Amino acid sequence: MRISVIGCGYLGAVHAASMAKLGHEVVAIDVDPGKIERLAAGDAPFFEPGLPEVLGEALASGRIEFTTDTAAVAGSQVHFLAVGTPQGPTGAADLTYVDAAVEALLPYLSAGDLVVGKSTVPVGTAARLAAQVSDAVPGATLVWNPEFLREGFAVQDTISPDRFVYGVPDGAEGERAVAVLDEVYAQALAAGTPRLVVDMPTSELVKISANAFLATKISFINAMAEIAEVAGADVTALADAIGHDDRIGRKFLNAGLGFGGGCLPKDIRAFQARADELGVGESLAFLADVDAINLRRRAHVVTLAGELLGGSVAGRRVAVLGLAFKPNSDDVRDSPALDIAARLTELGATVAAYDPAANHTAARVHPELTYVDSAVEALRDAELVLVLTEWSEFRELDPTAVAELVAAPVVLDGRNCLERDAWTAAGFTVRGMGR
């Protein structure tokens, strides 16, 4: 099929390259000439495992084109909307980019075209945009097909997702939309990927509800970590024990710094804002506590760092290992790790920060920090080591070798990812989260 993808950020670039890998002819549009130039040259503008290979394969096949010219979408059968919905000043999602993308697309739509929203939007947005599309181009249809990408696994999650959700209108129009989307995703469907066909409001709620649930689960175990610390318990063992209950499960029960990134924090705030607009704000009032617990973890790490350094971080050399909000990503949006590094610097610590992928993105946000090019350089003469992102490089550090580099053998494991016994055996004082 001939497909267009509007927006070449994280979602759009991965989706466009993956659709080309599946054999479709793809034209990808973005208003940023620099981004388009890099993608057209096979240079992914962000770190995502597997994307450079898929992008290179797509370009070599000739099945993908990157351009700033929206007119190039003409003739495509399916148009994916993959633009951002950042958090606005009130916490609500800013739909400026979504609205602009639809407006720009309308002159090039034809009857029979399918416009497919993938962005995470407030419930009710799809109905408004669907009316706009059908009024402007009778016979064109807008549906919603939310994305469920995990950073670090985005290519896999696009090509072989754990489910598809189609939000479509009733009747023949919806049936035709389902048939078209089934053709787009034929390979994954043939491999047995589940497909759910729902109304559009439900499809809009799926992604944001999933993120709200995951955020709640993370904040729950972090709240238990707060209790475990004062009670003398071990939150990791606690998580193992309750995770055996299949009603609960062990995933996302890892105490630490809390969640960050471009989705969970903004999505739970946008969800609360939309619930308020709908007059049911009390239904999501608990998400304010989820958010508060999450943000509290950052301050707690800074407090622990001060305690481990005898009461103050001022003038002390601190190694910060990890700046991205999660491993296998260079994304520092709302990153707890980067926030902690910045807070320590503000308090007078001499911070040497290192991340395998995110030094450059972190430096754009906090240029005042000192970034080094390796873990060894960060660790040299450190009086305290903070592991803030659980990259395998940090999990696999040899504590005996590290002990020879640092000025004092003290480590704060902000992700509970280190082999505690091995580090203790190497002479380190090890402080975990909720342990």
Side-chain angles (χ1 to χ4, degrees):
M1 302 180 73
R2 181 167 172 81
I3 289 171
S4 78
V5 177
I6 315 300
C8 291
Y10 183 82
L11 167 61
V14 172
H15 193 72
S18 299
M19 290 300 100
K21 180 177 177 62
L22 293 176
H24 301 298
E25 299 292 328
V26 180
V27 57
I29 312 293
D30 199 279
V31 296
D32 183 344
K35 187 184 298 181
I36 289 297
E37 184 176 346
R38 289 186 64 179
L39 286 165
D43 179 17
F46 49 85
F47 181 84
E48 178 60 36
L51 179 58
E53 293 79 8
V54 172
L55 179 60
E57 180 184 331
L59 289 166
S61 72
R63 288 194 297 269
I64 195 165
E65 172 192 359
F66 292 99
T67 178
T68 58
D69 184 7
T70 308
V73 308
S76 298
Q77 300 160 269
V78 181
H79 309 271
F80 284 100
L81 302 175
V83 296
T85 53
Q87 181 178 322
T90 66
D94 182 352
L95 298 178
T96 300
Y97 302 111
V98 173
D99 290 339
V102 172
E103 195 66 38
L105 185 60
L106 291 178
Y108 307 104
L109 289 180
S110 300
D113 283 4
L114 191 65
V115 180
V116 184
K118 294 203 72 68
S119 306
T120 304
V121 296
V123 62
T125 304
R128 175 175 63 82
L129 295 177
Q132 183 180 354
V133 167
S134 60
D135 288 348
V137 186
T141 301
L142 181 138
V143 300
W144 222 258
N145 169 221
E147 56 87 9
F148 303 106
L149 304 189
R150 299 166 296 164
E151 292 196 33
F153 303 92
V155 173
Q156 171 190 324
D157 289 346
T158 303
I159 294 173
S160 301
D162 56 11
R163 80 283 205 194
F164 290 112
V165 175
Y166 302 169
V168 303
D170 292 333
E173 187 180 22
E175 291 174 4
R176 186 184 69 81
V178 169
V180 172
L181 286 173
D182 280 354
E183 187 175 348
V184 172
Y185 298 128
Q187 180 174 308
L189 291 169
T193 300
R195 184 202 70 184
L196 292 83
V197 179
V198 300
D199 56 78
M200 283 198 284
T202 300
S203 69
E204 292 169 296
L205 285 171
V206 170
K207 171 66 182 294
I208 204 160
S209 297
N211 279 352
F213 183 86
L214 295 176
T216 301
K217 194 170 183 181
I218 295 167
S219 281
F220 168 81
I221 200 63
N222 279 327
M224 295 305 101
E226 293 176 349
I227 295 171
E229 285 189 8
V230 297
D234 184 336
V235 76
T236 301
L238 173 66
D240 290 340
I242 65 175
H244 279 290
D245 187 329
D246 60 11
R247 297 169 300 176
I248 297 172
R250 184 61 177 81
K251 289 184 178 180
F252 284 82
L253 280 182
N254 295 313
L257 312 183
F259 54 82
C263 289
L264 262 62
K266 81 171 180 68
D267 284 356
I268 64 170
R269 294 163 194 159
F271 204 6
Q272 292 175 80
R274 184 57 177 149
D276 286 338
E277 292 171 353
L278 294 171
V280 288
E282 67 276 7
S283 298
L284 296 181
F286 71 94
L287 288 180
D289 289 328
V290 168
D291 201 8
I293 292 167
N294 188 59
L295 293 174
R296 207 157 61 221
R297 302 304 288 165
R298 307 175 187 194
H300 184 54
V301 171
V302 173
T303 299
L304 287 177
E307 291 177 2
L308 290 168
L309 288 170
S312 173
V313 302
R316 311 297 289 276
R317 183 173 172 83
V318 178
V320 168
L321 302 182
L323 297 165
F325 88 96
K326 64 179 291 187
N328 299 316
S329 173
D330 64 355
D331 193 346
V332 296
R333 290 176 293 175
D334 211 350
S335 169
L338 181 56
D339 187 22
I340 289 165
R343 293 189 193 198
L344 291 171
T345 300
E346 289 174 2
L347 291 172
T350 300
V351 172
Y354 167 70
D355 189 284
N359 274 15
H360 66 296
T361 49
R364 293 180 202 148
V365 182
H366 284 288
E368 76 280 7
L369 298 183
T370 299
Y371 301 93
V372 297
D373 295 328
S374 69
V376 168
E377 193 175 349
L379 291 164
R380 188 171 288 118
D381 298 325
E383 297 171 85
L384 173 64
V385 178
L386 270 64
V387 178
L388 302 183
T389 310
E390 63 272 36
W391 285 91
S392 59
E393 177 181 341
F394 304 149
R395 295 199 309 269
E396 295 165 7
L397 285 170
D398 178 354
T400 302
V402 173
E404 296 177 358
L405 292 169
V406 299
V410 185
V411 61
L412 174 50
D413 182 4
R415 296 294 184 178
N416 290 342
C417 63
L418 301 179
E419 282 291 336
R420 190 184 187 94
D421 291 344
W423 285 78
T424 302
F428 276 85
T429 297
V430 181
R431 181 64 187 264
M433 305 299 289
R435 307 185 77 183

